[in-house]
Amino acid sequence: MMQTVGFNRFIKREWLDFTAFLAGRGKDEKIIRKNLNEYLEKEAKAEITRQKTLAELLRIWVNVPASHENLKEKALDLFEKVPEDEKMLLHWSMIMLAFPIFIDVASSLGKIFSLQHRVSLKILEKRIFEKWGERSTVKYALQKIVGSMTEWGVIIRPKVGEYTKAEAIEIKNVACKLFFIHCYMKALEKDYLRFIEANNLSAAFPFKLNLGLDDFNNSNTLSLSRMGSDVVIIAR
């Protein structure tokens, strides 16, 4: 069965910030929806466009599955504490959980950027089509994801159809780093992750995590263990 694509709207960073802000006030979903709809009216005049954008934002920060509720609460708590640039990692983490295609696009971009300075949309499209099928919905979602990433400032478009990586955002908040790792494992349904991979995840290409072994000492969600010669991260 083909996976549902989703992510069919361009999303601005300020919209994500405002949605997280509303969700963090502990308001009822109806109130959040009403406030968000009023906020988006100046940006998206067409009702259908606005409602689709609204649904996407709610899917990321409000209407999460029960299995992700604890992660959402943790993200909202962190959102109040971390600096502005580090908030992008929280958005990134929540979007990975909400849209499987997003993590595949991010991973593909990260892999290509590790080999070369520029990425062409055609090459990226080819990679995503290999996994998701050559569908118009996939092509459309890819354009919206890449366009959104450009607006967020994590990639730069020097010319149409070509992208370069922006300067990486250094993440200093340890809880924020661990939260991302937890979301990454959850999104990909991984039972464990090799510690040696944690600082070089393709899906985290816009960020510098610089995770150390000691960072896991006080975590109540992730722990380190031995698996043969490897140190692995396990979600509790």
Side-chain angles (χ1 to χ4, degrees):
M1 194 173 81
M2 282 192 171
Q3 273 186 293
T4 304
V5 180
F7 210 113
N8 54 20
R9 294 287 113 195
F10 167 77
I11 295 181
K12 284 188 178 181
R13 165 69 191 270
E14 65 183 77
W15 303 349
L16 288 166
D17 284 343
F18 189 61
T19 308
F21 168 79
L22 291 173
R25 305 276 77 74
K27 292 186 186 297
D28 177 270
E29 190 218 317
K30 280 185 181 174
I31 296 171
I32 294 173
R33 183 182 286 274
K34 179 177 178 292
N35 290 344
L36 203 49
N37 187 55
E38 287 170 359
Y39 179 80
L40 290 171
E41 276 181 342
K42 66 180 188 296
E43 302 274 357
K45 301 293 183 194
E47 177 74 14
I48 189 163
T49 301
R50 191 165 66 253
Q51 291 310 313
K52 284 183 177 180
T53 304
L54 191 60
E56 209 156 282
L57 291 165
L58 291 174
R59 181 170 166 179
I60 294 164
W61 274 111
V62 181
N63 298 332
V64 304
S67 57
H68 296 167
E69 194 64 40
N70 286 346
L71 286 167
K72 181 184 91 170
E73 293 306 318
K74 178 67 176 171
L76 291 172
D77 179 54
L78 282 169
F79 200 81
E80 300 292 319
K81 298 171 180 173
V82 302
E84 285 304 310
D85 56 347
E86 296 194 26
K87 285 178 181 175
M88 193 63 239
L89 183 62
L90 298 175
H91 290 312
W92 197 267
S93 302
M94 295 303 290
I95 296 167
M96 285 194 314
L97 288 172
F99 298 102
I101 194 169
F102 182 86
I103 198 168
D104 287 337
V105 173
S107 295
S108 295
L109 272 169
K111 282 172 187 163
I112 302 170
F113 280 137
S114 70
L115 300 171
Q116 60 197 55
H117 179 59
R118 291 194 178 211
V119 173
S120 82
L121 190 58
K122 283 288 177 199
I123 295 293
L124 183 60
E125 197 176 76
K126 185 171 180 288
R127 290 200 176 194
I128 298 303
F129 279 167
E130 282 168 6
K131 183 155 190 184
W132 285 79
E134 199 165 330
R135 296 181 271 162
S136 58
T137 49
V138 172
K139 186 184 179 85
Y140 190 69
L142 177 59
Q143 290 168 352
K144 297 303 177 189
I145 291 169
V146 171
S148 298
M149 286 182 180
T150 307
E151 199 276 338
W152 304 338
V154 299
I155 57 176
I156 298 160
R157 191 181 78 163
K159 64 179 188 180
V160 176
E162 273 199 11
Y163 297 87
T164 59
K165 186 178 152 186
E167 188 177 346
I169 300 164
E170 188 175 355
I171 307 298
K172 293 182 178 173
N173 184 292
V174 173
C176 199
K177 300 179 196 189
L178 296 179
F179 176 77
F180 167 78
I181 295 294
H182 198 173
C183 289
Y184 176 83
M185 292 174 70
K186 189 91 168 173
L188 293 178
E189 299 179 345
K190 285 180 174 285
D191 295 323
Y192 66 90
L193 177 68
R194 291 166 68 222
F195 175 78
I196 200 167
E197 295 174 31
N199 285 319
N200 297 294
L201 295 171
S202 300
F205 76 86
F207 310 98
K208 277 185 200 166
L209 296 181
N210 298 325
L211 270 165
L213 293 168
D214 291 346
D215 290 337
F216 293 83
N217 289 347
N218 300 315
S219 173
N220 56 10
T221 54
L222 299 174
S223 59
L224 298 178
S225 186
R226 281 263 172 205
M227 195 174 284
S229 60
D230 286 328
V231 174
V232 296
I233 303 165
I234 295 171
R236 292 177 182 172

